[in-house]
Every structure is written in C-alpha cells, then in structure tokens.
C-alpha cells in the first residue's frame, strides 16, 4: 500500500517537515552539546537557535541586544540578568560565577533570549528575517485540509513567559493550531508573542494567501461579475468559459460538509452542522452554489 | 508493503495487519461478518484475485503460491479487500460499537485546533472510491477535517473508512457530540483587534445567529 502515491499528500511542504525531523535525528545522534564547551567555536545565539526544537527561532543580531534601550524592563523579569546577558553575548567575566550557578544562569539566559526574541521579531529587520523562513514554510503548514497547505506562523497565546507553549497561526482560516511535532511542546509561546503573526501580515499584505480571513474572496467575485458582464456584452467566447472552469478548479478555500451516504446532515439534526459560521467568510460559496451561479454557457449549443 | 512474509506467515493475517504501525485506526472486523458472502456483494468485481485475497484474510489459503509476483499482488488485494470490508463493517451496529470504544480511548488522535482542547477525532475519507485520497481526521467539536499528525496515516486509504462513518456514529451515539460554543480565536496586535478580521467575525456572528434561529424554529421531532 505504501507504493501508492497520493499526490495531494506529498507536496514539498511535508518534505520540509521530514527534513526537520531528519535534522533532529542528526542532532540526537551526537550528544555533545553543552553550552560551556561551545564558547569558542560558535556563538551562544547560533548554538541556541540550532538546538532541536528551536527551528522557529531566528538569530537576534548582537547589536540589537547590546542596545540597552531594546532591553528596557527585562531586568525586573529575568533573574540573574547580568550573568544571563553575558552568557548570551559570550562575554567572558573576569570572575566567573560558580559552576553550581550555571544551570540557573542557563535558564535565565534562555528566558532573556526568548523575551528579546519576542521584541526583535516585531522590528523591521526581524519581520523580514522571519519572512524568509515563512516563505520556505519552515514553520510548517496548516493541518486543516481545506486550507490546502497554507504556510503558518508561530504565535503565542499570551505575552507572559512560562504560561502556554507555542501555537501556529494559519492566516487562511485565522485559527490557532498546536504544532505537529512533539519537540515544539516545550517552546514557550511568549518567545514569539501574541502580536507577531498579525503585525507580519499588516507589514507584508502581499503575503496574505488568497481567500484568507483578512482578505476574503470578494475580489474574485467581483472579477467573476465583471466577466459575466463582459460576456453579456460581447456574447459568448470560448476562452471565457475556459477561464471560468479554471477558476472552479483553483479553489483555495472550502468548508467541510458532513454527509451520510452522500446526503447532507440536516442542520436541525442533533449531529447537524452547527459550526459552519466558524469557517464562513464573506463571499464564500459552496461548490454547488458556485456552479449554479455560473452563466449558462452551454445551453445555446 | 510486505504483508505476511517470512517468519510471520504462521500468524493470523488480521492480527498482523492490525499490528502494523499506523493501523491502530482500524478495528478488527468480526470473522463471521467477513464469511457472510452477502456483506461482500460487489467486492469481487472491485478487488483483483478476490478469492485468494479472501482466503488470505481468513487464513484459509491452502495452496502455496510459488510465483512471487502473484503473491505480492494477492497481498495487495488482501489489504484492499480488508479495507473495503472494514468500511462497510464500521457503519453496522456492531462495528460502530467497536469504533466508539476506540473513539472514547482516543485511538484516532486529537484535534490540532487549540480551542478544541484536545477533542478526540474520528477518521473519515474524502471519497468512497479506493486509492484516491488518504485518511483524514474529523473533529466533532469544530466540525472540520484535518491531516493526521502521524506520518504513517498518510499512506492509509480514506476509502477504508468512508465518507459516512463519523457522522453516522454521532447520529447513533449523540451523547458523544461535544458542546459546541461560540468561542473563537481573536487575533490582536498589542491588544487591539484587527479591523478586517473583526469585520469578518461580526459577519460570522450574523451567520451563526441566523442558523440558530432556523434551528430553533424547526419543529421538534
């Protein structure tokens, strides 16, 4: 059965996830990370972002961290702030802290880096760095079937650290999902923040997928209406009808309809559809409605 | 896929099939159901090497098949045959009872949507024609379908569960229909709602109210 290829199930996006898993295995096979040993070769930030499960993070440039203004207010949240900051920036202290304190400092450094990360990805540079990752769908794709592999963005449910782990925001259905891979369960959602994905799409509106919640189908409908008007004016041309057909096949959004032996479950039934509103958006038409609304091009033949 | 080869040949075929990773979605079809030829109506035209495949499933294959190619084909047919019988079986009373037990245990997985709060899901096919689309998961709380997070499920055929199954199950066991709320995720930037999305949400609310009105106005059964 495995040699049967489901075309739809095997786009490049899924390979990306596989790639990440492979990478993780690679990491697991050589168990040699210790933040203390890696000081000279790679920076702490690079090391931290390359850990398995930390694929969502981007490397915050040192200049950003060195600017005290960007760290305003973090001193009160993060314990052992100075030591943690030194660790992130790989600064060697003249009198190093006792080794018993190291685990605590490491934890503080993680927290501090996460909070800096939350701030950094809202800056212009941070947003454009995240854009590179998003374009490659490195954060994964929406698990919802009728979003047709829309790339997602990491999102927090609260800005307070240590509350909820990271979630994924799909711009097409405008909903939050839990990440598919278990290694992301330990990543704090606050390290990305509640604002990031939404500010991202306000900054790069061109990246909003077609038929997304913030950018619903309206435009297409208008185009169709225009097409209809043109057709009425210029009489029927074969090209137009072809285009129309393409449009039906090119669906980028749909709502699932429960059916029993091909018949819709009636909405007044106990198990009927009650959540259609959740996926509904302006201009949505079911396939049947769409076909009905098409101009009757073939009746004249 | 190599089914029943080598040392495993002596084990029961169905047990072997169910023990494959990812096949925890399937339930065991009663042997009496498989042996009743009425339940297999029409499958002999659908499945190649029907008789051999049936014998393989019921562990009554008498002759050794020498030809490796033929054997491989029979094994593939057996998977298909078992899947199609499974699709029919799980919408019978007994099949539903078995599947509802698995559903309660959460064998099929959980909804990835955050607001569904790990609602148990049900397997569903997008089509009843075999070898078109792989299996999807239906969440009764948000009434939507999702890809499985288990990669192994990507090579299980959706037609082995059928389009009808989850909805029939909820009709038969309405006590498993979760409470559906009007809760939704509201995207916010620094605590402020986003204009375009808030507008859509208001329109969604209107759709919800209209449908609630229709449901309330409907005569009770």
């Amino acid at each position: 059965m495995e040699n049967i290829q489901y075309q739809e199930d095997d786009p490049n996006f899924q390979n990306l996830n596989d790639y990440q898993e492979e990478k993780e295995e690679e990491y697991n096979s050589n168990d040699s990370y210790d933040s203390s040993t890696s000081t000279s070769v790679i920076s702490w930030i690079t090391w931290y972002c390359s850990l398995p499960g930390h694929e969502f993070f981007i490397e915050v440039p040192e200049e950003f961290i060195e600017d005290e203004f960007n760290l305003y207010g973090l001193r009160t949240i993060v314990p052992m702030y100075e030591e943690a900051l030194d660790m992130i920036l790989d600064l060697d202290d003249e009198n190093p802290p006792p080794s018993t304190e190291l685990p605590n400092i490491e934890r503080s450094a993680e927290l501090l880096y996460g909070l800096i990360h939350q701030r950094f990805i809202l800056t212009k540079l941070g947003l454009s760095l995240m854009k590179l990752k998003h374009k490659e769908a490195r954060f994964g794709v929406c698990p919802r079937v009728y979003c047709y592999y829309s790339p997602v963005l990491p999102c927090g449910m609260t800005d307070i650290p240590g509350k909820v782990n990271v979630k994924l925001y799909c711009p097409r259905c405008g909903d939050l999902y839990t990440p598919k891979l278990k290694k992301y369960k330990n990543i704090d959602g606050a390290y990305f923040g509640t604002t990031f994905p939404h500010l991202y799409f306000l900054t790069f509106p061109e990246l909003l997928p077609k038929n997304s919640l913030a950018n619903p189908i309206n435009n297409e409908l208008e185009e169709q209406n225009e097409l209809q008007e043109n057709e009425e004016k210029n009489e029927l041309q074969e090209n137009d009808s072809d285009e129309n057909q393409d449009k039906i096949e090119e669906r980028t959004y749909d709502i699932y309809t429960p059916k029993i032996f091909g018949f819709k479950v009636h909405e007044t039934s106990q198990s009927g559809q009650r959540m259609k509103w959740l996926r509904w958006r302006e201009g949505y038409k079911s396939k049947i409605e769409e076909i009905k609304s098409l101009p009757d091009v073939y009746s004249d033949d | 896929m190599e089914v029943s080869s080598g040392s495993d040949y002596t084990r029961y075929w169905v047990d072997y099939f169910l023990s494959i990773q990812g096949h925890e979605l399937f339930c065991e079809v009663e042997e009496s159901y498989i042996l009743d030829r009425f339940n297999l109506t029409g499958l002999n035209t659908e499945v190649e090497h029907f008789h051999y495949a049936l014998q393989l499933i019921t562990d009554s294959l008498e002759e050794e098949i020498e030809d490796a190619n033929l054997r491989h084909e029979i094994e593939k047919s057996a998977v298909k045959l078992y899947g199609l019988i499974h699709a029919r079986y799980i919408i019978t009373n007994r099949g539903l009872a078995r599947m509802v037990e698995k559903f309660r245990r959460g064998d099929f997985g959980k909804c990835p949507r955050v607001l569904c709060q790990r609602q148990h899901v049900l397997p569903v096919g997008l089509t009843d024609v075999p070898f078109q689309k792989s299996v999807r998961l239906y969440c009764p709380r948000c009434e939507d379908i999702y890809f499985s997070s288990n990669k192994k499920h990507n090579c299980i055929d959706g037609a082995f569960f059928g389009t009808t199954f989850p909805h029939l199950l909820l009709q038969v066991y309405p006590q498993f229909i979760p409470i559906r709320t009007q809760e939704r995720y509201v995207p916010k930037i620094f605590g402020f709602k986003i204009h375009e999305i808030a507008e859509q949400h208001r329109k969604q609310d209107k759709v919800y109210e209209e449908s609630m009105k229709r449901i309330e106005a409907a005569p009770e059964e």
Side-chain angles (χ1 to χ4, degrees), chain B residues 3-16:
Chain B
V3 177
S4 70
S5 58
S7 59
D8 286 329
Y9 213 144
T10 46
R11 286 171 59 190
Y12 293 118
W13 187 88
V14 173
D15 286 344
Y16 173 76

Side-chain angles (χ1 to χ4, degrees), chain A residues 1-10 14 17-18 21 122 141-149 155-157 159 164 167-169 171 173-181 185 194-200 202 212-216 218 253-262 265-283, chain B residues 1 17 23 26 72 76 79-80 91 111-115 118 124-126 128 131-138 140-152 154-158 160 163-168 170-171 174-175 177 180-191 194 196-197 199-201 203-205 207-208 211-212 214-215 218 221:
Chain A
M1 208 159 46
E2 261 160 17
N3 48 17
I4 302 149
Q5 285 282 324
Y6 296 100
Q7 279 189 332
E8 199 200 27
D9 296 333
D10 243 332
Q14 291 211 331
N17 277 342
D18 294 350
E21 275 169 34
L122 299 181
V141 291
C142 183
R144 188 170 170 269
V145 172
Y146 287 126
C147 279
Y148 299 111
Y149 303 109
C155 182
M157 294 188 77
D159 286 322
V164 197
K167 307 289 179 207
L168 299 171
Y169 174 76
C173 52
D175 217 333
L176 280 189
Y177 299 99
T178 33
K180 188 167 135 180
L181 297 177
K185 293 244 158 81
T194 54
T195 300
F196 163 66
H198 318 304
L199 191 68
Y200 179 87
L202 281 193
S212 56
L213 184 63
N215 178 21
N218 253 357
Y253 188 80
D254 220 326
I255 299 176
Y256 179 68
T257 323
K259 281 178 186 164
I260 292 183
F261 300 122
V265 182
H266 197 267
E267 65 176 354
T268 56
S269 151
Q270 218 175 346
S271 67
Q273 217 175 357
R274 300 280 156 88
M275 294 293 281
K276 201 179 172 186
W277 61 272
L278 182 71
R279 304 305 189 194
W280 185 92
R281 76 259 328 262
E282 202 175 4
Chain B
M1 185 164 52
F17 180 76
H23 284 203
F26 289 98
H72 190 68
K76 267 166 77 178
V79 171
K80 185 176 175 186
I91 50 178
C111 182
R113 186 169 168 265
V114 172
L115 291 178
R118 316 173 124 254
V124 66
L126 290 181
D128 286 316
F131 299 149
Q132 300 277 320
K133 294 257 170 74
S134 67
V135 69
R136 303 283 187 262
L137 301 174
Y138 173 78
R141 194 184 295 248
C142 56
E143 293 170 3
D144 215 332
I145 49 173
Y146 299 97
F147 292 104
S148 172
S149 62
N150 189 340
K151 260 198 296 179
K152 296 255 163 38
N154 281 343
C155 52
I156 296 177
D157 200 304
F160 295 171
T163 54
T164 300
F165 160 67
H167 316 301
L168 197 66
L170 292 174
Q171 292 251 320
Q175 67 269 34
I177 301 174
R180 288 160 288 188
T181 60
Q182 225 193 326
E183 209 181 0
R184 67 148 75 86
Y185 172 65
V186 183
K188 280 178 185 167
I189 295 183
F190 301 122
I194 297 151
E196 288 88 357
I197 290 174
E199 197 182 324
Q200 293 300 320
H201 281 174
K203 282 173 182 160
Q204 284 179 351
D205 286 343
V207 172
Y208 171 77
S211 74
M212 277 337 242
R214 278 199 304 274
I215 290 165
E221 283 166 41

Side-chain angles (χ1 to χ4, degrees), chain A residues 125-162:
Chain A
L125 180 61
L127 282 169
S128 49
L129 283 175
M130 289 299 257
K131 182 174 161 187
L132 295 177
K133 283 200 150 190
H134 176 240
K135 272 190 166 173
E136 290 177 0
R138 294 302 293 272
F139 305 116
V141 291
C142 183
R144 188 170 170 269
V145 172
Y146 287 126
C147 279
Y148 299 111
Y149 303 109
S150 177
V152 291
L153 282 172
C155 182
M157 294 188 77
T158 166
D159 286 322
I160 304 156

Side-chain angles (χ1 to χ4, degrees), chain B residues 10-194:
Chain B
T10 46
R11 286 171 59 190
Y12 293 118
W13 187 88
V14 173
D15 286 344
Y16 173 76
F17 180 76
L18 293 175
S19 69
I20 298 172
Q21 266 195 326
H23 284 203
E24 67 275 358
L25 294 182
F26 289 98
C27 78
E28 193 183 338
V29 181
E30 281 167 70
E31 198 162 14
S32 58
Y33 186 85
I34 300 176
L35 291 177
D36 187 346
R37 293 305 286 264
F38 174 75
N39 295 325
L40 311 181
T41 310
L43 290 184
N44 52 354
T45 54
E46 189 112 9
V47 181
E48 289 171 21
H49 312 296
F50 174 76
H51 291 283
Y52 282 131
L54 187 61
Q55 283 173 4
L56 185 59
I57 289 175
T58 53
D59 304 300
S60 55
L61 197 59
E62 276 157 14
E63 29 188 323
E64 271 296 313
I65 288 144
E66 299 289 323
D67 188 0
N69 268 342
L70 181 65
R71 222 178 71 187
H72 190 68
E73 271 178 42
I74 289 172
E75 280 162 5
K76 267 166 77 178
S77 297
V79 171
K80 185 176 175 186
L81 179 63
Y82 187 79
L84 293 176
I85 296 172
H86 184 264
R88 293 180 177 191
Y89 175 71
I90 57 174
I91 50 178
T92 63
N93 253 335
R94 281 152 166 260
L96 281 173
R98 284 195 178 189
M99 288 304 258
V100 89
E101 200 47 51
K102 284 170 83 71
F103 171 57
R104 195 156 52 186
R105 281 204 307 265
D107 282 2
F108 307 121
K110 293 177 180 100
C111 182
R113 186 169 168 265
V114 172
L115 291 178
C116 284
Q117 287 158 350
R118 316 173 124 254
Q119 165 71 39
H120 291 177
V121 292
L122 287 162
V124 66
L126 290 181
T127 163
D128 286 316
V129 184
F131 299 149
Q132 300 277 320
K133 294 257 170 74
S134 67
V135 69
R136 303 283 187 262
L137 301 174
Y138 173 78
C139 168
R141 194 184 295 248
C142 56
E143 293 170 3
D144 215 332
I145 49 173
Y146 299 97
F147 292 104
S148 172
S149 62
N150 189 340
K151 260 198 296 179
K152 296 255 163 38
H153 293 169
N154 281 343
C155 52
I156 296 177
D157 200 304
F160 295 171
F161 297 90
T163 54
T164 300
F165 160 67
H167 316 301
L168 197 66
L169 184 133
L170 292 174
Q171 292 251 320
V172 177
Y173 298 97
Q175 67 269 34
F176 284 103
I177 301 174
I179 299 159
R180 288 160 288 188
T181 60
Q182 225 193 326
E183 209 181 0
R184 67 148 75 86
Y185 172 65
V186 183
K188 280 178 185 167
I189 295 183
F190 301 122
F192 297 103
K193 285 183 191 171
I194 297 151

